[in-house]
Amino acid sequence: MASANSSSKALAEPIEYRDPTLLLPTTSPSSVGDEPKQETAEEPFDMKLDRRVKWKLDLFILPLMSSVYFFATMGKSDLANAKIAGLSEELNLSPGDYSNAATVFLVATIIFQLPGTLLIKRIQPNRQFSGAMITWGFLTAMTLLVTNSGALLGLRFLIGGAESFVQGGVFYLSFWYQYSEYATRGAIVSSMSTLAGAFNGLIAYGITKDLDGANGWRAWRWIFLIEGVVPIAFSFIVLALLPSHPSALKWGFSEEEKKHIMRRSARAHNTAEPHVKFSQIWKVMFDLHFWLFILISCGGSFCQSSLSNFLPDIIAGFGYDDVSAQLFTTIVYVCGCVGILFFSRLADKTNARGLISAISTIGAVVGYAILIWVTNRNVRFAATCLVAFSIFPNTVLQITWAAMSFVGYTRRGSMLAFINIFPHIFAISGNQAYQDPPIYSIGNSAALAMSIMMFVCSMILRWYLGYLNKQKKANQFSAKAAEMREKSLEEIGDHHPDFFYTT
């Protein structure tokens, strides 16, 4: 990478854009609040300081964000455990009623996802996340009072709306971590979704075994009560301890460490600008790579949502009793957790984002094929574990790769919101496809097609981003490139001629 001796030289000469400090002179005054005044690209890198800062960030940020995602996933997947813990029987729910209850949750997430992501800096992450936890925790606990499907639908919609305000958690991580660290940290946070599913299974197993009938309540009411109260209690810890953004750090870090954190944030193309530029929200849709990211994520969401919402029922359909099915879901979710951590770490180590994304889907293709054509229950259970190992990593792989490919606060935030919004539409169709128990051949066939689509689109996206990089290199000395260098990253984002995509 070429280095610049002055700001004028950085503007005049094309460079392979890897370190955003080289382009800091091009940023607007409102977008440099996170930058130290005297920072230069030539300042020596202190490895010990960087390691110490990363360790502290991991200690301060990851446990809190992981807990937020853990409780959010519990609130999302507890419906599946409640279904076979007496909910369907007591409320006389048909398969369609249950699918609709799972669907309205996703509808609310779609509606509130964009404001829930873009308003993070305006509301402040600790306030937004803790407020959402209190809201969905209260609503989840109140679910124990429902007596009919209509009330259940209304509460699931409100819970989904509240949970959409924590789905920007991976966007929040981008304020603190550089690209080479991003997928691994995102994986640690996202793996909580699988651990929460496993924990839900254990809780449901214990409640179904020991509390069913206690206080005159069926087990499903105890599930909702317990899983509603716990996030409310933890929300106050999040409110008190979670830092909002690098420039707002007040304790736990020295001044030297704070400056280093702000430099790290700049390297990930972050700014302190909290204002949303509405004109940029929709511009991301004009890029082909936006739609390729969306297609991959849609396929993953179809498979992941249907697997989470129907897993206990799917396992019960193999011939296991309901109590054993609750317990066996834990094994499947642990496989998903291992897959998330394995493929995300591999993506960070190799930086071959597209290739790892494609490889991760191969197990899902094989697993769904087995579920469609094999009848042995032990083989089918092993195939379900393989599907979880391959499907659950998709979300974090796509979100972190997309965050590297779209820069600027509004542009990146909009992309990360849309990459949740559009896939949730597919998640709704996934819930509707799984209505032929106990084999679910229609749903599994659709999921197989989605897995194949994910593999193909991952390879196309890898090629296309490489093609865009070649185009930028070929036009480095053009008049258009010189004109674009006069604009900031906040204005033109990843279209900047010196920004190169990770493939």
Side-chain angles (χ1 to χ4, degrees), residues 84-262:
I84 64 173
L87 176 68
S88 292
E89 298 172 15
E90 196 164 350
L91 299 188
N92 295 315
L93 299 180
S94 67
D97 290 333
Y98 175 76
S99 293
N100 290 336
T103 296
V104 295
F105 183 101
L106 299 174
V107 170
T109 303
I110 291 170
I111 293 173
F112 295 104
Q113 183 72 61
L114 189 61
T117 301
L118 291 179
L119 293 177
I120 283 180
K121 279 193 175 180
R122 174 64 67 182
I123 298 175
Q124 295 189 12
N126 61 330
R127 296 175 182 174
Q128 179 169 317
F129 296 158
S130 62
M133 293 175 75
I134 292 172
T135 303
W136 90 62
F138 173 77
L139 293 170
T140 298
M142 290 300 99
T143 306
L144 68 88
L145 301 176
V146 302
T147 57
N148 55 66
S149 61
L152 179 64
L153 290 176
L155 278 174
R156 293 307 292 180
F157 178 85
L158 295 175
I159 292 169
E163 287 204 13
S164 66
F165 281 82
V166 303
Q167 296 307 311
V170 178
F171 181 37
Y172 169 76
L173 290 182
S174 72
F175 302 166
W176 305 92
Y177 291 103
Q178 297 178 98
Y179 294 152
S180 60
E181 308 156 357
Y182 195 31
T184 300
R185 271 69 181 185
I188 292 171
V189 171
S190 296
S191 66
M192 291 300 106
S193 63
T194 54
L195 290 182
F199 197 67
N200 257 354
L202 291 174
I203 290 178
Y205 171 77
I207 291 175
T208 304
K209 186 173 179 290
D210 299 324
L211 288 180
D212 194 17
N215 198 41
W217 292 352
R218 290 296 307 273
W220 68 269
R221 297 185 189 273
W222 286 106
I223 290 174
F224 284 126
L225 175 62
I226 292 171
E227 297 188 6
V229 170
V230 177
I232 293 176
F234 195 83
S235 67
F236 296 99
I237 297 176
V238 174
L239 178 62
L241 299 181
L242 188 71
S244 296
H245 50 83
S247 62
L249 281 173
K250 295 180 180 178
W251 58 276
F253 295 86
S254 67
E255 286 303 317
E256 180 186 29
E257 290 170 342
K258 290 178 183 178
K259 290 180 179 179
H260 186 71
I261 289 171
M262 289 190 283

Side-chain angles (χ1 to χ4, degrees), residues 277-493:
K277 294 178 170 56
F278 291 99
S279 62
Q280 293 187 18
I281 292 177
W282 311 108
K283 285 183 179 179
V284 294
M285 295 187 182
F286 299 148
D287 295 318
L288 176 60
H289 55 295
F290 167 87
W291 292 107
L292 288 170
F293 273 115
I294 293 297
L295 281 175
I296 301 168
S297 298
C298 284
S301 187
F302 180 100
C303 299
Q304 188 172 326
S305 177
S306 56
L307 185 62
S308 297
N309 284 318
F310 291 89
L311 183 57
D313 214 28
I314 290 172
I315 295 177
F318 295 164
Y320 300 102
D321 62 81
D322 288 348
V323 176
S324 297
Q326 298 278 24
L327 184 61
F328 287 163
T329 60
T330 302
I331 300 173
V332 178
Y333 280 116
V334 168
C335 292
C337 179
V338 173
I340 290 174
L341 296 174
F342 173 76
F343 285 113
S344 298
R345 188 59 177 165
L346 198 60
D348 271 351
K349 284 294 185 181
T350 64
N351 210 32
R353 310 286 170 173
L355 189 60
I356 299 303
S357 177
I359 291 174
S360 70
T361 64
I362 294 175
V365 173
V366 174
Y368 280 119
I370 292 173
L371 287 173
I372 294 169
W373 289 297
V374 176
T375 57
N376 181 278
R377 79 173 186 176
N378 293 331
V379 175
R380 288 170 63 80
F381 179 73
T384 305
C385 292
L386 180 60
V387 167
F389 178 80
S390 302
I391 284 299
F392 280 109
N394 174 264
T395 298
V396 66
L397 290 176
Q398 300 313 314
I399 288 179
T400 53
W401 191 15
M404 299 175 190
S405 303
F406 292 82
V407 297
Y409 179 76
T410 303
R411 185 170 171 82
R412 177 181 285 168
S414 299
M415 175 59 192
L416 294 181
F418 287 132
I419 210 172
N420 277 311
I421 291 173
F422 286 98
H424 274 83
I425 298 173
F426 271 62
I428 291 172
S429 63
N431 290 339
Q432 297 300 318
Y434 278 76
Q435 294 197 36
D436 56 334
I439 304 299
Y440 292 109
S441 56
I442 296 175
N444 288 330
S445 298
L448 174 61
M450 292 293 172
S451 301
I452 295 172
M453 179 192 73
M454 291 161 61
F455 177 85
V456 173
C457 288
S458 293
M459 296 306 296
I460 294 175
L461 179 57
R462 174 181 168 86
W463 170 83
Y464 181 68
L465 293 180
Y467 168 77
L468 292 180
N469 286 343
K470 290 180 181 178
Q471 291 292 102
K472 288 187 177 186
K473 289 177 182 178
N475 295 297
Q476 283 280 287
F477 296 96
S478 67
K480 182 178 179 181
E483 180 182 346
M484 293 182 73
R485 285 190 182 93
E486 298 297 328
K487 299 180 180 179
S488 71
L489 284 175
E490 193 67 30
E491 294 174 281
I492 59 177

Side-chain angles (χ1 to χ4, degrees), residues 49-68:
L49 174 62
D50 190 63
R51 280 199 298 264
R52 186 170 69 249
V53 163
K54 278 194 290 186
W55 181 83
K56 281 192 172 184
L57 288 176
D58 289 345
L59 187 64
F60 274 72
I61 304 293
L62 289 185
L64 291 171
M65 284 309 305
S66 296
S67 299
V68 170

